[in-house]
Amino acid sequence: MTVVYEQTHLDRLESESVQIFREVAATEEKPGLLFSGGKDSVVMLHLAMKAFWPAQMPFPVMHVDTGQNFDEVLDFRDRTVEQHGLRLIVASVQDDIDAGRSHEDHAGAPRNRLQTATLLRGIVENGFGAVFGGARRDEEKARAKERVFSFRDEFGQWDPRNQRPELWSLYNGRHRKGENIRVFPLSNWTELDIWSYIEREGIELPQMYYARKRTVVERDGMLLEVNRFVEPLPGEVPFEAMTRFRTVGDATCTGCVESDAATPADVVAEVAAARVTERGATRADDRVSEAGMEDRKKEGYF
């Protein structure tokens, strides 16, 4: 009897990501994993734990906290870390503002851009030689240019014109002290892959990813949930709508979308029919300029 072993599309993506985690753990000194509590970082954490099971994941997780994150996401982050016995490092944007290392445009302004300095400080203070991030190539055109192993110089900067070739699954993580490698195990995944995997594996997410009635305001073509960070401006009229979030970020600039998707299967169907990426639909900071993300990445952003 001949037994035929066939991998599905998700099996192949999972195998590639697991191999990347093991490659980094075997070759890089002191890695760390960026964990925001968003769907991509939750899937990345799930894959990292699979890569080393039944042993404990051999590196800590780090959250760059803007100080304006959704409360639900912070609760989920803390619960997940405690449940799996992980070591959590919080790099706080508020600490950098208080110390005068970063400056807000005004109180309540989006802090996504300020995350870069805090991220770089966190990498240096913890001596990370490699940092895992949950970015995917299908999210945004600057991220589509990234390699799986992304070299960053001693200032944490990325040069899109000077990237290392990656043939098959051969990666080059060599760097000198002070430089580091950003590693993106989900590079070849799409938003639909992520949700299909969440459904298949039964992965828990913050409930903000699922539809419920929320009080929102419409601002610059986006729906923003009214919360302690987002108050209606003069002329804005709050209203209730069935919405869910496609991404997680700073609460002041992360919008939600109208939706009835209340389960992972519902979201898979919705994403399959979508024609706008999640960042294009819900992230005001990406609308600053055509090259907004690429400019931030050159400075050291995720």
Side-chain angles (χ1 to χ4, degrees), residues 28-272:
E28 298 291 337
E29 186 177 356
K30 207 173 180 184
L33 184 146
L34 296 175
F35 182 68
S36 66
K39 66 182 187 309
D40 298 311
S41 68
V42 172
V43 167
M44 186 170 64
L45 180 63
H46 181 84
L47 290 162
M49 289 193 292
K50 268 198 171 186
F52 304 103
W53 187 90
Q56 180 67 289
M57 199 175 72
F59 37 78
V61 299
M62 183 169 81
H63 182 209
V64 179
D65 186 348
T66 69
Q68 297 179 160
N69 293 104
F70 293 95
D71 294 335
E72 185 179 338
V73 174
L74 296 180
D75 291 343
F76 178 85
R77 176 200 70 183
D78 293 341
R79 184 158 42 87
T80 300
V81 166
E82 183 177 0
Q83 178 184 353
H84 298 294
L86 304 174
R87 184 163 76 90
L88 171 67
I89 297 165
V90 177
S92 168
V93 170
Q94 187 63 55
D95 285 349
D96 286 317
I97 293 172
D98 293 343
R101 294 186 291 264
S102 294
H103 303 279
E104 288 183 289
D105 293 335
H106 55 82
R111 292 180 172 179
N112 267 357
R113 193 177 189 99
L114 301 185
Q115 291 181 96
T116 301
T118 305
L119 169 65
L120 297 179
R121 178 174 60 79
I123 290 173
V124 171
E125 287 182 353
N126 291 283
F128 292 135
V131 183
F132 295 102
R136 310 184 324 267
R137 289 191 174 116
D138 77 320
E139 285 181 79
E140 198 277 339
K141 58 188 177 184
R143 287 185 164 166
K145 298 179 182 179
E146 278 271 25
R147 301 291 194 264
V148 175
F149 276 40
S150 180
F151 172 78
R152 303 301 173 107
D153 66 16
E154 66 269 35
F155 304 107
Q157 295 174 329
W158 173 66
D159 184 353
R161 296 167 301 178
N162 185 24
Q163 300 194 73
R164 295 170 175 177
E166 291 184 342
L167 301 177
W168 305 287
S169 58
L170 300 176
Y171 306 113
N172 182 354
R174 297 176 66 180
H175 61 278
R176 293 174 294 189
K177 189 173 179 60
E179 300 167 340
N180 65 85
I181 301 293
R182 306 286 174 83
V183 184
F184 302 108
L186 305 180
S187 277
N188 293 327
W189 296 57
T190 66
E191 184 185 14
L192 183 58
D193 295 329
I194 292 290
W195 275 106
S196 299
Y197 192 71
I198 288 167
E199 182 188 17
R200 186 183 90 167
E201 301 285 305
I203 298 172
E204 183 186 358
L205 293 179
Q207 286 300 306
M208 61 188 292
Y209 279 107
Y210 302 109
R212 68 166 184 251
K213 274 192 175 180
R214 293 180 170 87
T215 301
V216 298
V217 293
E218 184 171 355
R219 184 177 301 169
D220 299 327
M222 286 177 32
L223 295 179
L224 296 179
E225 182 183 33
V226 176
N227 54 44
R228 63 191 176 100
F229 302 113
V230 178
E231 296 289 339
L233 298 175
E236 291 179 340
V237 180
F239 60 96
E240 282 199 338
M242 284 291 288
T243 62
R244 71 176 191 86
F245 287 83
R246 290 179 70 181
T247 67
V248 162
D250 192 272
T252 61
C253 62
T254 302
C256 47
V257 296
E258 291 188 89
S259 170
D260 294 317
T263 67
D266 294 340
V267 177
V268 168
E270 185 178 274
V271 171

Side-chain angles (χ1 to χ4, degrees), residues 7-15 188-190 193 200:
Q7 279 191 317
T8 66
H9 174 62
L10 289 179
D11 290 335
R12 285 191 288 273
L13 288 172
E14 178 187 72
S15 295
N188 293 327
W189 296 57
T190 66
D193 295 329
R200 186 183 90 167

